[in-house]
Amino acid sequence: MNRREAIGLIEAIGLATAIEAADAAVKSANVRLIGYEPCKGDGMSTIKVAGDIGAVKAAVDAATAACAKGRGVWGTKVIARPSEGIEKLIYNRQTVGFIQPEEPKVETDSEETNEVTTEE
């Protein structure tokens, strides 16, 4: 996560409404769609976007307007400079569409391994 990026959250009622909201958000401003997270109950989904603060605010406003066409929006939030402590809440495995960056693999030399073999 880029520490200068703002985060926008849109909690839409219904998956179709959430998809329409995500579409409106990314078309209205220069934001990156992180993904969506299905909530546990009431058929809600939370759309997550990132970008500079002005773009995120515009995207959240556009998504909120799009939700009015569907079942509606439950809530929205824009976080200007999210703390590193909440990074795991935003970027997690429950977020559909978010691809977890791979950790660098450490290569080991096969000759250095101490394998014990027994012969019968």
Side-chain angles (χ1 to χ4, degrees), residues 20 27 38 48 51 68 73 77 96:
E20 187 172 4
K27 286 180 177 176
K48 301 174 184 182
V73 63
K77 182 59 72 177
V96 178

Side-chain angles (χ1 to χ4, degrees), residues 1-2 5-9 29-35 48-53 55-56 59 90-91:
M1 172 166 80
N2 183 346
E5 280 190 323
I7 301 293
L9 306 169
N30 187 20
V31 294
R32 179 173 48 87
L33 179 64
I34 298 169
K48 301 174 184 182
V49 295
D52 70 60
I53 186 68
V56 169
I90 303 298
Y91 300 93

Side-chain angles (χ1 to χ4, degrees), residues 7-117:
I7 301 293
L9 306 169
I10 306 101
E11 195 167 35
I13 303 169
L15 181 59
T17 303
I19 291 170
E20 187 172 4
D23 183 59
V26 297
K27 286 180 177 176
S28 68
N30 187 20
V31 294
R32 179 173 48 87
L33 179 64
I34 298 169
Y36 83 93
E37 187 170 329
C39 299
K40 297 187 173 37
D42 297 332
M44 291 187 271
S45 299
T46 302
I47 304 300
K48 301 174 184 182
V49 295
D52 70 60
I53 186 68
V56 169
K57 284 182 179 179
V60 168
D61 289 344
T64 301
C67 285
K69 297 176 188 176
R71 293 180 57 201
V73 63
W74 185 258
T76 63
K77 182 59 72 177
V78 174
I79 304 171
R81 289 181 307 275
S83 169
E84 286 183 30
I86 68 165
E87 185 175 281
K88 292 178 184 174
L89 298 174
I90 303 298
Y91 300 93
N92 58 49
R93 290 185 180 153
Q94 287 78 33
T95 303
V96 178
F98 173 64
I99 299 170
Q100 186 76 23
E102 290 185 27
E103 294 184 24
K105 294 181 182 178
V106 178
E107 293 186 28
T108 58
D109 189 11
S110 62
E111 295 177 359
E112 294 179 15
T113 59
N114 296 325
E115 293 181 15
V116 176
T117 58

